[in-house]
Amino acid sequence: MQEVRLSDVEARVYDAVAALEARGQVPYPDMIAQECGLTEEQLQTPLHLLTEKNLLHREDSPMAGLDFGPRFCAQQLA
């Protein structure tokens, strides 16, 4: 299996998503930003890169009429 290299920011974002999920919180971008100490604007690029690397996947709101924005879920690292 190929090892995926992450920048420091990408690792912080991934760890923040995993920590939020472990606590049973929904990893919305504002929560992820708060958890890893970034602004939502600074978060956009690492979220995109982690999604491209298949480490996060984006889920849109499952409830019709209640759109709280996308949430990002961590893929399990093997």
Side-chain angles (χ1 to χ4, degrees):
M1 181 169 173
Q2 180 179 337
E3 183 178 328
V4 178
R5 295 216 176 263
L6 299 179
S7 69
D8 290 339
V9 172
E10 289 170 328
R12 283 175 44 205
V13 170
Y14 181 86
D15 290 343
V17 170
L20 288 167
E21 290 179 325
R23 292 195 304 260
Q25 295 177 292
V26 180
Y28 291 118
D30 61 334
M31 297 288 291
I32 299 167
Q34 183 179 357
E35 182 76 16
C36 62
L38 298 173
T39 66
E40 285 189 60
E41 187 174 287
Q42 293 169 317
L43 193 61
Q44 295 306 310
T45 299
L47 283 176
H48 178 74
L49 293 172
L50 288 165
T51 302
E52 280 187 343
K53 294 176 181 179
N54 293 320
L55 294 175
L56 296 181
H57 68 275
R58 177 187 166 135
E59 294 181 357
D60 292 316
S61 181
M63 299 176 72
L66 290 176
D67 187 9
F68 297 110
R71 62 180 177 235
F72 291 83
C73 302
Q75 305 283 52
Q76 296 298 319
L77 296 178

